[in-house]
Structure formats: structure tokens, C-alpha cells
């Protein structure tokens, strides 16, 4: 007998039929003798419907009232799922975040879990009940309803699993696991059996939307075995493990996955004086405007007196950043020229294996060079190498790298 | 400065624009310096939508999960109304029934309020806040969400007004007050300035749907001044008062209103033996089947050996009652014959004034006789006389009585 925390997202409970299907899946686990805590999100579309209602009334609603409003979404789902379980003869009780004792701070719409009361849940589980918990929500010390921010249901699931010492936290989604890369871009992409927490964090921060970053961090911190799997089909999914476990695997690959996004734009300030403090002069006004900068590269010009300063921002901030550079930064620098490009793509190799292997960057550059793809920027971390290339080369780059690093389906688990 | 509890029903908050209009009304009271607690229902249609969702999942959902589900309806409204008030610059905080401390028993879907914590509400009011409370819902001792049953928001409003010692509980509805009778049937019907709690209870029990009976009882018991008024137009509405207050009015009318319904059917068992216990033999099997009986009349036949036994049930129970009488009751009586009629109407005169005036019944029968309307059944109480007539005479009866008892608009407050 094991204790599972199973989290089902909005798509997985998006209709009456989907809720019934979730109930059947939970019933199977119960009939095998396992204890089950189910965490659910709002039915897909419901949260947006509520946000839209609010927007029609107040274009700047207080976070407390937003939480009061949107937390009804999960409350609807938990009651419907409990009813669906009862229909199958499965004993079940639903709880809101407040009822089950998910205590958070008071940072409405992005609250952090502080502690979870587990006595009542344990009593219910021991009583043979399936415990159905509203994800994404909690309660602060004053009894106000809080929410954990979008995707917070993953965090609820992992936090509950940690608090209960569950054997596994299963995150059911509309994909059947974590892939080496996006199968829509590279048909040779394959599902990973396992991935380390660190790799998963890099993949998530690079735009792979399978799991919320905070949930993965939480799982890593509290050593919760986390599994991503499909709520629509059977399959083992992908297990996200602490690194030590993964390293026990003799066939550990050099690279676990290739992440990419096309949501950034690149800006360069050419021929700025190469003096101390220039980076601050350039980036200060930009961060003052609330714009987040991702990659940063500074090249020293051959003469040594001038430098080129390049960075990326979200595509949606591109025009504003360009204006700030031209109207504020250039005058303050006294020289230079601004170039911008919003037709770029960022491609990243991710893998804990690269820690112990030199030359991953060299091989990456070689593969891209062979395909005639120019590299515009590079940034590296311990388990990641990211390059910026022209957007039009994105698919070509991903596919070539996927093959070159041995990730293609026919090469499963072959050392790259 | 007065303290008002204002309750707005589902139609009054049925759309974004309606919610904004409610906020404006509340703002007017605030700007006059009054303290305001607002109680709201779910947006019209929302509760039915949720019940329908549940029905698609489980045709016999547990009451606890139903309460969990439908209580989200008011939670949506309170947050939206608070946002609308904020938009107008009015300080406001929303609370669910559980948060505001409306403690009930555990009779899910028809819970009764046991006590209300008012400390937090008072603190908010003193702090200049409008307190927005979800009607219809509470919390039991174990922290389960409960609901008070349909229309329970009225009860929440009155109970809060009682607990807070409010100066007035204002129930905003889609009518502008309590009328002498239904204006759709009798165009001369007029709005009453005041009506006594007792009369209101009789009107409500007779099918006048303006207020929930429990709310009126509550108001009577705790002496809460209760006012029914329109949320769509300005006007004083109708004040529901304790009888002593009303009696101070020198021009107290004999009859306050005429209630009626066409929802009942009449059944007669003819020629049953006139022996003790015959009523039980007839009504026992009917109440065993869960059918409620309203009026009951027993006539002794001229010979004295046989009697006719007549009673009314809801029209929806008519066929089943007829079957029970024919298949169970007649065999057990050993004689008799069943007659049924589902094309009847019940018309009732209501007024505390008739307590001190004899002859109201006589005058009523006279008026109906003059119009050629045959009376099928009569039942009386201290402040009510009800007759059953053929359904086709309903409008004629109501209009004639309305005129005869001085209720027509041109006769305002003329003694009948």
C-alpha cells in the first residue's frame, strides 16, 4: 500500500466527462489498496471566465478580492469530483485550501505556503476516504483566502506530498511526460524515463510548460518523488528525481533535453565607451521601467576603447526597451548606436551530464556551424548552454542538435 | 447615522451592470453617513447552473458536496461587489459565511443559523468599511460549509440585522414592495406602506414569493424592522412591522391583502362511514407516501351515518393521491367513492384587522355569491379566510373581493 498525491490540472477536469474519467482513475488506485489525496485545479476556462468578470467591474481589483473570486473555481471542481467518486462507490471528502489547513503568507495572488495541517487528512485517509483538495489556494493567518498564483495547484500537490511523506506526487497533465524537446518541432523527440530536478528546473525556466518551477523546486527541496504523466492515456510518464538517483544510471546521457523559445528580442548598443559603470548606465533605466533582462553579453571592440553591449528582453518589451535606449541611455552615454532584432530564437542544451564532460559547447557550435547557422549570443551555466540564433533557423538547429547529441528515438539512451 | 443591513437577491446582482448599480446604491447610503452591511445571493442563474453540473455527475449527490458546490455562487458575487465598491472609492471587504462567523447546525442544504460572530463586522464597520457578506451560507462546528436552503439569503440578512441590532434590514427584490394582491391579476392592486409580520407570514405561506417565511419569522422573533423594496427603482417599499406598531395606525384596514394560488388539487372521498378514525384511515397512507395535505373539510351527511371527506394536495401530487385513495383507502374503508378536481383555485383574505371584526367571512361569501361563484371549501384562521373555488373564477373573485374590501388604489386606507 502506497500513499499517492495525484494532481489533475484544468484540462484534466475540463468537463463533466473528464471529471468522471479522473474519478475512475482514482478508483483504480483505491481498488489496488493505495491511499489517495487528489488535488485539482479549476475546470479549464473557469479561471479566465472569472478574471474577465472582474475586469468588467474593476480594471484594477484588489488582490484579496481576486483571490476570493478565483478560488471558487477549484471549489467547484472538488465538489464535483467528490460527487463523481461517490457515484462509483468510492468514499471521498472535498476540502478547500482553507479547510484542509494550507496556511500561507498574505501575499494575495502569489502567496507562499507556510505550513500544512495533516492530522485531518491522515484521519480521513485512515478512514478509507479519498481526500479531494482544492489546489492553488490557501488561507492566511487572518482567515483570508489566498492563491498561490497561476499553476499553483502543482505546488499544492507537491507541498501536500511533502507534508504527508507521500510515496509519489503524480502530476497529471495533457502531455504524457517530459520530452527531450518539443515533438511539434522535432518528430524524433522522445519521452524521458527520468530527469533530474535541476534539469527540469532549467527546462521549465526556458519555457517548457509541463510543470511550475516552484513545484519542482519544492519537490527538490523536500525530496518528493515527482512524476509527470498523462491524464488522457496510460503510461509511466517521466519521473523527476534528485540527482544522486539519476547518476546511478550507468547510461546517463550527456544531454537530457533541448529547450527553446522565440519569445525574446535582442538589443545591442554599439560603440559605447568601454569604461566602468557602462552596464549599469545601460540596464539601470530598463530595470527601472520594470523590464526584465535575460541574456547579457559584452564584447570588447578590437581597439579596446569601445565595446558592444547586447542583451535580450521579452518580445513584448522590445519597443519600449528600444525607446528607453534611444531617448535615455544614448544621451547619457554620449555615444553609441542602438540595433534591435526581434526575430531571434534561443536554443538551450540542458543536462547534468555536461558537468563532467568538456567540449559540449564546442560540439554544439560545430553542429550549428555545419548547418550554416550563425550564433548571435551565447550564455552558459553549469548544466545548460544557450545560444541565440536567427528565428528562421530554429527547427533546423533543434533537429540537428537532437540527432547530434543522441536524443533521437532510435538512439535511446546511447551516449552522445 | 444608522446601521443598515441590505440584502440583494439573485436578480438584483444578475449581471455586471446590476452589480455596479447595487454598488452605487450602497455608496449613496455611505455618503449619507450610514453604516452598511450588504448581503448578496448568487447571480441569477448561477445556482441552477451549478445544480445542473452536479446532476450530470451524480443524480443523488451528498448534501455536504452540494453545499460545497453551490456556496461558490455567493462567493463570486461578494468579491465582484467589493470590487465594484472599490471602483467607486468605497472601502469594502467581502466575507464568506464561514469567514464572517455564521455558525449553523450540520443539516446540509437546509441548515439553521445558531449564532453569528459580530466582533469582526463591527470592527470593519467602525473602520469605515462596507461589509459584504455571502448570503445563504454558513459553517458548522466541524468547519464544513453549509447552506440555509433556497432563499436563505433573506434569513442571513435578517439574522445579521438581529445580531448587529441594525436599525433596519432592507430586502431589495425585483418588486417594489408587498402588494394587496398580485397586480398581474388585479390592476387595482396597490403597494402596502406597512404590513404586520403575522400577515406577511400568511401571505408568504399562501404563495406570495416576496420574502422567505423563515426570514419573516426571524424578523418577528427578534423584532427586526424589515423593509421590502425594489433594487431597480426608488421608493419606500413596504415595511414589515410587529403588530403593536401597526395597530397604532388609526386607519388600520380590515383586510391587508388577498393571496391566491392555483397549485392545489382537491380530492373527496364520498359516502365514507362516519366513525372515529376515518380521517386517519384516509390521510395515513397519503402522508406515508410523503404527500403534504393543505386544507381539510369533513361534512356530515344528512343521515348522519355517512360523511364526505375533502382535502387538497399539491397539483403535482394529484394523480398519486388519487391512486392511493382508490387502491388502498377505499378497500380499507369498505365503502365510498373518490372524486378529484385539479382545476381549482384557493383565494385567501389576510388581515390582522379581522380579529376584531366579525362578519368578514359572511361578507366574503356574499361578494362571491353575488358574482355567482360557488365556494367548494372554506378554512379559517385568526387572521385569514381561505376559500376554494373553480379555477376559472379566480380573476373575478380576486377583483371583486379587492374592491369590496376597500383595497383598490382609489380607496387607499379607507376602512373596509
Amino acid at each position: 500500500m502506497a500513499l499517492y498525491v495525484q494532481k489533475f490540472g484544468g484540462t484534466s477536469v475540463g468537463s463533466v466527462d473528464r471529471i468522471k474519467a479522473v474519478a475512475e482513475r482514482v478508483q483504480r488506485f483505491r481498488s489496488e489498496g493505495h491511499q489517495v489525496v487528489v488535488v485539482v485545479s479549476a475546470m479549464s476556462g473557469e479561471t479566465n471566465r472569472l478574471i474577465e468578470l472582474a475586469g468588467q467591474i474593476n480594471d484594477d481589483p484588489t488582490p484579496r478580492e481576486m483571490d476570493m473570486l478565483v478560488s471558487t473555481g477549484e471549489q467547484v471542481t472538488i465538489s464535483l469530483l467528490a460527487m463523481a467518486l461517490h457515484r462509483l462507490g468510492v468514499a471521498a471528502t472535498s476540502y478547500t485550501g482553507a479547510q484542509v489547513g494550507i496556511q500561507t503568507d498574505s501575499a494575495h495572488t502569489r502567496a507562499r505556503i507556510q505550513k500544512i495541517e495533516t492530522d485531518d487528512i491522515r484521519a480521513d485517509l485512515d478512514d478509507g476516504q479519498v481526500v479531494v483538495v482544492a489546489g492553488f489556494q490557501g488561507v492566511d493567518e487572518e482567515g483570508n483566502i489566498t492563491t498561490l498564483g497561476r499553476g499553483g495547484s502543482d505546488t499544492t500537490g507537491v507541498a501536500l506530498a511533502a507534508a504527508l511523506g507521500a510515496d509519489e506526487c503524480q502530476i497529471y497533465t495533457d502531455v504524457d511526460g517530459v520530452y527531450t524537446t518539443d515533438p511539434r518541432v522535432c518528430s524524433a523527440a522522445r519521452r524521458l524515463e527520468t530527469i533530474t530536478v535541476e534539469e527540469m528546473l532549467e527546462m521549465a525556466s526556458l519555457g517548457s510548460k509541463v510543470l511550475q518551477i516552484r513545484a519542482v523546486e519544492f519537490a527538490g527541496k523536500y525530496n518528493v518523488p515527482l512524476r509527470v504523466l498523462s491524464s488522457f492515456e496510460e503510461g509511466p510518464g517521466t519521473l523527476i528525481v534528485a540527482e544522486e538517483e539519476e547518476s546511478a544510471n550507468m547510461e546517463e546521457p550527456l544531454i537530457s533535453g533541448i529547450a527553446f523559445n522565440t519569445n525574446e528580442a535582442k538589443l545591442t548598443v554599439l560603440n559605447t565607451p568601454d569604461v566602468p559603470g557602462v552596464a549599469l548606465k545601460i540596464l539601470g533605466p530598463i530595470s527601472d521601467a520594470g523590464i526584465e533582462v535575460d541574456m547579457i553579453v559584452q564584447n570588447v571592440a578590437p581597439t579596446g576603447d569601445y565595446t558592444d553591449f547586447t542583451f535580450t528582453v521579452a518580445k513584448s518589451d522590445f519597443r519600449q526597451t528600444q525607446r528607453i535606449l534611444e531617448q535615455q541611455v544614448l544621451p547619457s552615454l554620449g555615444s553609441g548606436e542602438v540595433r534591435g532584432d526581434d526575430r531571434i530564437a534561443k536554443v538551450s542544451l540542458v543536462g547534468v551530464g555536461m558537468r563532467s564532460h568538456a567540449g559540449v559547447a564546442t560540439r554544439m557550435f560545430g553542429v550549428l556551424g555545419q548547418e550554416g547557422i550563425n550564433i548571435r549570443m551565447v550564455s552558459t551555466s553549469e548544466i545548460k548552454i544557450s545560444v541565440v540564433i536567427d528565428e528562421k533557423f530554429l527547427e533546423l538547429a533543434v533537429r540537428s542538435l537532437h540527432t547530434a547529441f543522441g536524443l533521437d528515438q532510435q538512439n535511446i539512451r546511447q551516449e552522445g
Side-chain angles (χ1 to χ4, degrees), chain A residues 1-6 34-37 116-119 121-122 125-126 156-170 218-219 221-226:
Chain A
M1 186 188 83
L3 168 56
Y4 291 106
V5 174
Q6 306 188 316
H34 303 301
Q35 294 184 323
V36 185
V37 174
I116 298 184
E117 305 287 349
T118 55
D119 291 356
I121 303 180
R122 277 194 196 288
L125 290 173
D126 291 342
T156 304
V158 175
L160 273 170
L164 289 164
D167 295 280
E168 196 168 281
C169 179
Q170 304 184 327
F218 222 104
K221 189 168 166 193
Y222 293 99
N223 217 3
V224 174
L226 190 60

Side-chain angles (χ1 to χ4, degrees), chain A residues 387-401:
Chain A
V387 298
V388 167
I389 58 175
D390 289 349
E391 191 174 358
K392 64 182 175 188
F393 293 127
L394 173 66
E395 285 81 1
L396 177 59
V398 170
R399 284 177 205 145
S400 323
L401 292 167

Side-chain angles (χ1 to χ4, degrees), chain A residues 62-324:
Chain A
T62 63
R64 182 189 183 279
E65 298 301 336
M66 276 310 282
D67 282 354
M68 178 70 92
L69 179 67
V70 298
S71 62
T72 59
E74 295 81 38
Q75 192 173 327
V76 167
T77 317
I78 55 172
S79 54
L80 293 178
L81 179 56
M83 290 174 193
L85 285 163
H86 294 165
R87 183 90 179 74
L88 300 175
V90 179
T93 310
S94 72
Y95 295 102
T96 64
Q99 284 177 328
V100 83
I102 296 181
Q103 196 86 42
T104 72
D105 60 22
S106 298
H108 284 289
T109 74
R110 51 191 171 78
R112 302 221 154 226
I113 295 175
Q114 290 179 329
K115 67 165 190 249
I116 298 184
E117 305 287 349
T118 55
D119 291 356
D120 289 351
I121 303 180
R122 277 194 196 288
D124 276 2
L125 290 173
D126 291 342
D127 188 36
Q129 301 269 330
V130 170
V131 176
V132 183
V133 179
F136 172 72
Q137 57 180 245
V139 63
D140 74 4
E141 266 185 22
E142 284 76 44
N144 298 301
I145 295 172
T146 56
T147 68
L148 311 178
R150 278 232 145 161
S153 291
D154 288 354
T155 308
T156 304
V158 175
L160 273 170
L164 289 164
D167 295 280
E168 196 168 281
C169 179
Q170 304 184 327
I171 309 280
Y172 289 87
T173 69
D174 47 3
V175 296
D176 67 348
V178 181
Y179 272 69
T180 49
T181 195
D182 189 335
R184 284 168 301 186
V185 164
C186 174
S187 61
R190 61 180 173 78
R191 182 180 52 78
L192 294 159
E193 292 289 323
T194 61
I195 186 170
T196 70
V197 168
E198 267 187 297
E199 290 168 335
M200 192 65 216
L201 285 174
E202 289 286 8
M203 298 289 273
S205 68
L206 292 165
S208 170
K209 290 284 181 286
V210 177
L211 277 176
Q212 214 212 3
I213 289 179
R214 272 166 66 193
V216 180
E217 282 174 354
F218 222 104
K221 189 168 166 193
Y222 293 99
N223 217 3
V224 174
L226 190 60
R227 190 181 291 277
V228 174
L229 56 186
S230 166
S231 64
F232 297 93
E233 43 192 271
E234 298 300 319
T238 299
L239 185 65
I240 299 156
V241 294
E243 197 181 336
E244 309 83 64
E245 261 172 273
E246 165 81 2
S247 301
N249 187 337
M250 295 296 291
E251 297 176 278
E252 186 193 334
L254 189 59
I255 299 300
S256 289
I258 303 176
F260 58 84
N261 76 58
T262 54
N263 307 325
E264 295 183 26
K266 180 169 74 83
L267 291 124
T268 302
V269 184
L270 288 167
N271 298 318
T272 67
D274 185 19
V275 294
V278 69
L280 180 66
K281 274 194 180 164
I282 293 172
L283 297 184
I286 288 161
S287 76
D288 286 351
I291 295 168
E292 237 172 275
V293 170
D294 178 28
M295 293 170 76
I296 301 174
V297 173
Q298 190 168 2
N299 296 326
V300 179
T303 67
D305 298 337
Y306 287 84
T307 180
D308 298 343
F309 191 92
T310 305
F311 59 94
T312 64
V313 297
K315 223 170 230 176
S316 53
D317 293 327
F318 180 53
R319 294 289 158 210
Q320 195 193 349
T321 310
Q322 205 162 25
R323 267 198 307 277
I324 292 170

